[in-house]
Amino acid sequence: MVKIIDEDLAVQAYRSCLQSITDIENVFKGIGFDPDFERVPSVFFASDKKGVKLIEREYEIREKYKLPVTLLDKKVLSDKYGFRASCALENNESAQIDAYKAATHLIDFHIHKSGLKVFTNTEVTKIKEKSAGYELQTTNGYKISSKYVIIAAGFEAGKFLPKQVMKLTSTYALVSEPVDEKYIWHKKSLIWETKEPYIYIRTDNENRIIVGGEDEDFKDPVKRDSLLRKKVSILEKKFKKLFPDIPFKTDMAWCGTFSSTDDGLPYIGTWPGADRMFYALGYGGNGITFSMIAAQLIKNKLKGIRDERENVFGFNRKRK
Ligand SMILES: Cc1cc2nc3c(=O)[nH]c(=O)nc-3n(C[C@H](O)[C@H](O)[C@H](O)COP(=O)(O)OP(=O)(O)OC[C@H]3O[C@@H](n4cnc5c(N)ncnc54)[C@H](O)[C@@H]3O)c2cc1C
């Protein structure tokens, strides 16, 4: 990232994401609900020689800024995690969560506690600017008037953006049948690699193993779905190469659209010149942490509180 944006902004982006993990944890502690939030280590391993260089450079810069990191060599990696790679970066600050459980419970909580109104299956088709705010139109012909609008339409937000800021790609994932606890590696760590297309691996609370990645550079859903069988087979092979002794049997597989940006960072804040229209676009592989930052940043803006993070995530951010 420091090749694309200023080093201090890259470090601020990393620190903001790190902080948001704790903030997410606290949101659920605050409402007394556990969406299977679990602190687990993260292991980022070198897939090849190019990956070794990347890991070394990444280690250097994280050390420089005292970001949590340990460099594991081949032996330590193999002894501790049971798979082979030249080296890896480890940190103990990462976490995993059941995102569906978390989102649905949080909405339900605020329906009851805060009077939140949710209109499901209500697609907004147009947004018109009015003198006192906005008028939104829905597919059913209803009109909604509001002072402010927050666009959090994920990868479908393009039609509400003056300019395309994200690239839409396809991604694949599968989940295994539960495996015996004895097969699960050190502290159920999150595992991912340097190569692209990459794979990532995690577990759930039933000791199922989730393997994902194998991204493709297009978004066409028909083409995407037609590749699912082939992608499952590649992901299974990659997993078995890393962990040949784990009796891995795929239970379910799926694919989806994924959005990313040139600098790997999301777009959060107002479009220059449109002060009452906010965007919470958590594009990228850290979408969950980015979404937490978006919630805080937009809340601060609405309250008139200056938030330095807009320099990193806003539409006006500086590039090198
Ligand atoms: C396979 C996969 C794995 C991922 N893994 C991770 C991970 O490990 N960690 C991580 O942090 N992130 C991960 N992500 C990314 C993360 O899921 C997303 O960044 C996150 O869901 C984005 O949240 P969002 O609320 O911005 O958008 P979404 O979750 O896409 O929600 C947008 C919502 O807006 C609605 N909508 C769209 N258009 C309209 C409209 N016109 N009117 C009304 N409603 C509309 C949609 O129906 C949808 O409900 C992963 C994504 C994928 C696909």
Side-chain angles (χ1 to χ4, degrees), residues 127-159:
I127 303 178
K128 261 199 235 159
E129 193 165 4
K130 297 268 174 177
S131 55
Y134 294 95
E135 187 184 86
L136 283 66
Q137 271 180 31
T138 73
T139 28
N140 296 339
Y142 288 98
K143 287 184 179 161
I144 306 160
S145 295
S146 66
K147 193 170 169 190
Y148 298 100
V149 176
I150 299 174
I151 296 171
F155 67 87
E156 291 164 292
K159 61 174 173 257

Short mmCIF file of all heavy atoms in Angstrom, two decimals, residues 127-159:
data_model
loop_
_atom_site.label_atom_id
_atom_site.label_comp_id
_atom_site.label_asym_id
_atom_site.label_seq_id
_atom_site.Cartn_x
_atom_site.Cartn_y
_atom_site.Cartn_z
N ILE A 127 -32.51 8.57 -6.78
CA ILE A 127 -32.37 9.53 -5.68
C ILE A 127 -32.35 10.93 -6.29
O ILE A 127 -31.53 11.22 -7.15
CB ILE A 127 -31.07 9.30 -4.88
CG1 ILE A 127 -31.02 7.85 -4.34
CG2 ILE A 127 -30.94 10.30 -3.74
CD1 ILE A 127 -29.77 7.50 -3.58
N LYS A 128 -33.31 11.76 -5.87
CA LYS A 128 -33.37 13.13 -6.40
C LYS A 128 -33.01 14.11 -5.30
O LYS A 128 -33.50 13.98 -4.18
CB LYS A 128 -34.82 13.44 -6.84
CG LYS A 128 -35.05 13.28 -8.32
CD LYS A 128 -36.32 14.03 -8.69
CE LYS A 128 -37.27 13.08 -9.39
NZ LYS A 128 -38.66 13.51 -9.37
N GLU A 129 -32.18 15.08 -5.64
CA GLU A 129 -31.83 16.09 -4.62
C GLU A 129 -32.93 17.14 -4.56
O GLU A 129 -33.43 17.59 -5.59
CB GLU A 129 -30.49 16.73 -4.98
CG GLU A 129 -29.95 17.51 -3.82
CD GLU A 129 -28.48 17.87 -3.92
OE1 GLU A 129 -27.86 17.58 -4.95
OE2 GLU A 129 -28.01 18.47 -2.94
N LYS A 130 -33.35 17.50 -3.35
CA LYS A 130 -34.37 18.54 -3.15
C LYS A 130 -33.77 19.63 -2.28
O LYS A 130 -32.71 19.43 -1.68
CB LYS A 130 -35.59 17.93 -2.42
CG LYS A 130 -36.28 16.84 -3.20
CD LYS A 130 -37.38 17.46 -4.00
CE LYS A 130 -38.01 16.44 -4.93
NZ LYS A 130 -39.12 16.95 -5.67
N SER A 131 -34.47 20.74 -2.13
CA SER A 131 -33.87 21.83 -1.35
C SER A 131 -33.63 21.44 0.11
O SER A 131 -32.64 21.82 0.72
CB SER A 131 -34.74 23.08 -1.43
OG SER A 131 -36.05 22.74 -1.01
N ALA A 132 -34.54 20.59 0.68
CA ALA A 132 -34.39 20.24 2.10
C ALA A 132 -33.77 18.86 2.29
O ALA A 132 -33.74 18.33 3.39
CB ALA A 132 -35.74 20.29 2.77
N GLY A 133 -33.28 18.24 1.25
CA GLY A 133 -32.71 16.90 1.40
C GLY A 133 -32.84 16.09 0.14
O GLY A 133 -32.48 16.54 -0.95
N TYR A 134 -33.42 14.90 0.29
CA TYR A 134 -33.52 14.00 -0.87
C TYR A 134 -34.89 13.36 -0.96
O TYR A 134 -35.60 13.22 0.04
CB TYR A 134 -32.46 12.89 -0.75
CG TYR A 134 -31.06 13.42 -0.87
CD1 TYR A 134 -30.33 13.73 0.28
CD2 TYR A 134 -30.50 13.65 -2.11
CE1 TYR A 134 -29.05 14.24 0.18
CE2 TYR A 134 -29.22 14.17 -2.23
CZ TYR A 134 -28.49 14.46 -1.08
OH TYR A 134 -27.24 14.98 -1.19
N GLU A 135 -35.21 12.95 -2.19
CA GLU A 135 -36.41 12.13 -2.39
C GLU A 135 -35.96 10.86 -3.09
O GLU A 135 -35.34 10.91 -4.14
CB GLU A 135 -37.43 12.88 -3.25
CG GLU A 135 -38.74 12.13 -3.33
CD GLU A 135 -39.69 12.85 -4.28
OE1 GLU A 135 -39.61 12.57 -5.50
OE2 GLU A 135 -40.50 13.68 -3.82
N LEU A 136 -36.29 9.74 -2.45
CA LEU A 136 -35.89 8.45 -3.00
C LEU A 136 -37.11 7.76 -3.59
O LEU A 136 -38.20 7.82 -3.01
CB LEU A 136 -35.32 7.55 -1.89
CG LEU A 136 -33.91 7.83 -1.40
CD1 LEU A 136 -33.81 9.17 -0.69
CD2 LEU A 136 -33.45 6.73 -0.46
N GLN A 137 -36.90 7.10 -4.72
CA GLN A 137 -38.01 6.35 -5.32
C GLN A 137 -37.73 4.87 -5.22
O GLN A 137 -36.59 4.44 -5.36
CB GLN A 137 -38.12 6.71 -6.79
CG GLN A 137 -39.01 7.90 -7.03
CD GLN A 137 -39.09 8.24 -8.51
OE1 GLN A 137 -39.01 7.38 -9.35
NE2 GLN A 137 -39.24 9.51 -8.78
N THR A 138 -38.79 4.09 -4.98
CA THR A 138 -38.59 2.64 -4.91
C THR A 138 -39.23 1.96 -6.11
O THR A 138 -40.03 2.57 -6.82
CB THR A 138 -39.20 2.05 -3.60
OG1 THR A 138 -40.62 2.05 -3.75
CG2 THR A 138 -38.81 2.84 -2.38
N THR A 139 -38.92 0.68 -6.31
CA THR A 139 -39.47 -0.05 -7.47
C THR A 139 -41.00 -0.10 -7.43
O THR A 139 -41.64 -0.19 -8.46
CB THR A 139 -38.96 -1.52 -7.49
OG1 THR A 139 -38.69 -1.92 -6.18
CG2 THR A 139 -37.75 -1.67 -8.37
N ASN A 140 -41.57 -0.08 -6.23
CA ASN A 140 -43.03 -0.16 -6.12
C ASN A 140 -43.71 1.20 -6.29
O ASN A 140 -44.91 1.32 -6.09
CB ASN A 140 -43.44 -0.76 -4.77
CG ASN A 140 -42.97 -2.18 -4.65
OD1 ASN A 140 -42.71 -2.84 -5.66
ND2 ASN A 140 -42.85 -2.67 -3.43
N GLY A 141 -42.95 2.21 -6.59
CA GLY A 141 -43.51 3.53 -6.83
C GLY A 141 -43.63 4.40 -5.57
O GLY A 141 -44.14 5.51 -5.63
N TYR A 142 -43.16 3.90 -4.43
CA TYR A 142 -43.20 4.72 -3.21
C TYR A 142 -42.12 5.78 -3.24
O TYR A 142 -41.09 5.62 -3.90
CB TYR A 142 -43.01 3.83 -1.96
CG TYR A 142 -44.20 2.97 -1.65
CD1 TYR A 142 -44.24 1.64 -2.05
CD2 TYR A 142 -45.31 3.50 -0.98
CE1 TYR A 142 -45.34 0.84 -1.80
CE2 TYR A 142 -46.42 2.71 -0.72
CZ TYR A 142 -46.43 1.39 -1.13
OH TYR A 142 -47.51 0.62 -0.87
N LYS A 143 -42.36 6.86 -2.49
CA LYS A 143 -41.36 7.92 -2.39
C LYS A 143 -40.96 8.09 -0.93
O LYS A 143 -41.83 8.05 -0.05
CB LYS A 143 -41.92 9.23 -2.94
CG LYS A 143 -42.01 9.18 -4.46
CD LYS A 143 -42.47 10.50 -5.03
CE LYS A 143 -42.48 10.34 -6.55
NZ LYS A 143 -43.31 11.35 -7.16
N ILE A 144 -39.69 8.26 -0.68
CA ILE A 144 -39.20 8.45 0.69
C ILE A 144 -38.48 9.80 0.73
O ILE A 144 -37.61 10.06 -0.11
CB ILE A 144 -38.19 7.34 1.07
CG1 ILE A 144 -38.80 5.95 0.87
CG2 ILE A 144 -37.70 7.51 2.50
CD1 ILE A 144 -37.77 4.84 0.77
N SER A 145 -38.88 10.66 1.68
CA SER A 145 -38.18 11.94 1.80
C SER A 145 -37.24 11.88 2.99
O SER A 145 -37.59 11.31 4.03
CB SER A 145 -39.19 13.06 2.07
OG SER A 145 -40.01 13.18 0.94
N SER A 146 -36.07 12.46 2.83
CA SER A 146 -35.13 12.45 3.95
C SER A 146 -34.19 13.63 3.86
O SER A 146 -33.98 14.20 2.78
CB SER A 146 -34.32 11.15 3.94
OG SER A 146 -33.50 11.14 2.79
N LYS A 147 -33.64 13.99 5.02
CA LYS A 147 -32.70 15.10 5.06
C LYS A 147 -31.33 14.62 4.58
O LYS A 147 -30.61 15.32 3.89
CB LYS A 147 -32.61 15.60 6.52
CG LYS A 147 -31.94 16.92 6.66
CD LYS A 147 -32.13 17.43 8.08
CE LYS A 147 -31.25 18.64 8.35
NZ LYS A 147 -31.25 18.99 9.76
N TYR A 148 -30.99 13.40 5.00
CA TYR A 148 -29.70 12.82 4.61
C TYR A 148 -29.93 11.45 3.96
O TYR A 148 -30.94 10.81 4.22
CB TYR A 148 -28.81 12.57 5.85
CG TYR A 148 -28.47 13.82 6.61
CD1 TYR A 148 -29.17 14.17 7.77
CD2 TYR A 148 -27.43 14.65 6.18
CE1 TYR A 148 -28.85 15.32 8.48
CE2 TYR A 148 -27.11 15.79 6.90
CZ TYR A 148 -27.82 16.13 8.04
OH TYR A 148 -27.49 17.26 8.73
N VAL A 149 -28.94 11.01 3.19
CA VAL A 149 -29.00 9.64 2.64
C VAL A 149 -27.65 8.99 2.90
O VAL A 149 -26.60 9.62 2.72
CB VAL A 149 -29.23 9.65 1.11
CG1 VAL A 149 -29.19 8.23 0.54
CG2 VAL A 149 -30.56 10.27 0.76
N ILE A 150 -27.70 7.74 3.35
CA ILE A 150 -26.45 6.98 3.48
C ILE A 150 -26.53 5.81 2.51
O ILE A 150 -27.42 4.96 2.63
CB ILE A 150 -26.22 6.48 4.93
CG1 ILE A 150 -26.12 7.67 5.87
CG2 ILE A 150 -24.96 5.61 4.99
CD1 ILE A 150 -26.04 7.31 7.34
N ILE A 151 -25.63 5.78 1.56
CA ILE A 151 -25.65 4.71 0.55
C ILE A 151 -24.70 3.61 1.00
O ILE A 151 -23.48 3.79 1.05
CB ILE A 151 -25.27 5.27 -0.84
CG1 ILE A 151 -26.37 6.28 -1.24
CG2 ILE A 151 -25.15 4.15 -1.87
CD1 ILE A 151 -26.07 7.07 -2.46
N ALA A 152 -25.31 2.48 1.36
CA ALA A 152 -24.51 1.32 1.81
C ALA A 152 -24.96 0.12 1.00
O ALA A 152 -25.27 -0.93 1.54
CB ALA A 152 -24.72 1.11 3.31
N ALA A 153 -25.03 0.33 -0.32
CA ALA A 153 -25.61 -0.70 -1.20
C ALA A 153 -24.56 -1.69 -1.73
O ALA A 153 -24.80 -2.37 -2.72
CB ALA A 153 -26.33 -0.01 -2.37
N GLY A 154 -23.42 -1.77 -1.06
CA GLY A 154 -22.40 -2.74 -1.43
C GLY A 154 -21.97 -2.62 -2.88
O GLY A 154 -21.83 -1.51 -3.41
N PHE A 155 -21.79 -3.78 -3.55
CA PHE A 155 -21.28 -3.71 -4.92
C PHE A 155 -22.33 -3.18 -5.90
O PHE A 155 -22.03 -2.91 -7.06
CB PHE A 155 -20.72 -5.07 -5.36
CG PHE A 155 -21.76 -6.14 -5.51
CD1 PHE A 155 -22.44 -6.29 -6.71
CD2 PHE A 155 -22.04 -7.01 -4.46
CE1 PHE A 155 -23.40 -7.27 -6.85
CE2 PHE A 155 -22.99 -7.99 -4.60
CZ PHE A 155 -23.68 -8.12 -5.79
N GLU A 156 -23.58 -3.02 -5.43
CA GLU A 156 -24.63 -2.47 -6.31
C GLU A 156 -24.72 -0.94 -6.22
O GLU A 156 -25.63 -0.33 -6.78
CB GLU A 156 -25.97 -3.08 -5.94
CG GLU A 156 -26.06 -4.56 -6.29
CD GLU A 156 -27.21 -5.23 -5.59
OE1 GLU A 156 -27.16 -5.35 -4.35
OE2 GLU A 156 -28.16 -5.62 -6.27
N ALA A 157 -23.81 -0.32 -5.49
CA ALA A 157 -23.89 1.13 -5.25
C ALA A 157 -23.51 1.95 -6.47
O ALA A 157 -23.73 3.16 -6.49
CB ALA A 157 -23.00 1.51 -4.07
N GLY A 158 -22.96 1.30 -7.49
CA GLY A 158 -22.45 2.00 -8.68
C GLY A 158 -23.43 3.00 -9.27
O GLY A 158 -23.04 4.11 -9.64
N LYS A 159 -24.72 2.63 -9.31
CA LYS A 159 -25.67 3.54 -9.97
C LYS A 159 -25.92 4.83 -9.17
O LYS A 159 -26.48 5.78 -9.70
CB LYS A 159 -26.99 2.82 -10.27
CG LYS A 159 -27.75 2.28 -9.10
CD LYS A 159 -29.09 1.73 -9.60
CE LYS A 159 -29.84 1.03 -8.51
NZ LYS A 159 -29.81 -0.41 -8.56
#
